[in-house]
Amino acid sequence: MRKLATTLLLSATTACSLAAVAGTEADGNDAQTSNVEITWEDPKSYTDVRPSNESRVRFRNRVMRELGEYFEELAESLPEGQQLSINVTNVDLAGHVWPTFGGGAVDIRIIRDLDIPRMTFSYSLTENDEVIKTADVSLKDMAFMNRATNIRHNDALRYEKVMLKRWFDKEFADSLVKS
C-alpha cells in the first residue's frame, strides 16, 4: 500500500512538472502575459543556465518561467495601460555547477562571491503604442551575497530576482504606481 501511494504521488508530481514545463518552449518562443511580453533569444547559448540535478531543458524552462513570472510581478506596479516588452539575450546564474564524485552523486551548484549573477536584455516600455522608454541593459551584481533581501532563502533564483528588483525600481522610479 505504501509503495502504491508513493508511486501515485510521484506520478502526480511528474505530471504537474510536465504540465508546467509544457507552457514554455526551450527554443526561445515569446511568452505573452498581462502587461509584459518576454522573448528569450536563443536560450541554449546563455552563459550559465546549467542544472545541478535535472535535465538541461527542464531546468532552462523552469528558470525562464520563474524569471518571466518575476518580471510580471514587478510590472504589476506600472501604471495601467503600459506594456513592457523584454528581449533577454543572456543569463548567467549566480554560482557555478561542479561535478561531485561517488556512486549516484549529482552535480552541485556552489555559490561563491566570484560567480556573480548577470543578465543582458533590451526593453521597451510603451503606452497606447507610443514608446515611452527603451534601453539595452547589462546587469551584474558584484555584491549579491552581501545584500539583505525579503526573497525566501530557499528560492534558487533569489540573487537574480534581487538584481532585477533593484534595476526595475531604479529604472522605472518615475513611472511606478505608489501603493
Side-chain angles (χ1 to χ4, degrees), residues 19-31:
V21 168
T24 307
E25 292 293 321
D27 61 3
N29 287 344
D30 296 349

Side-chain angles (χ1 to χ4, degrees), residues 77-110:
S77 60
L78 290 171
E80 190 171 326
Q82 290 189 354
Q83 174 75 27
L84 182 61
S85 298
I86 299 169
N87 183 41
V88 179
T89 54
N90 194 22
V91 176
D92 187 354
L93 300 177
H96 190 77
V97 176
W98 290 92
T100 56
F101 301 100
V106 296
D107 295 344
I108 185 169
R109 181 171 289 276
I110 298 175

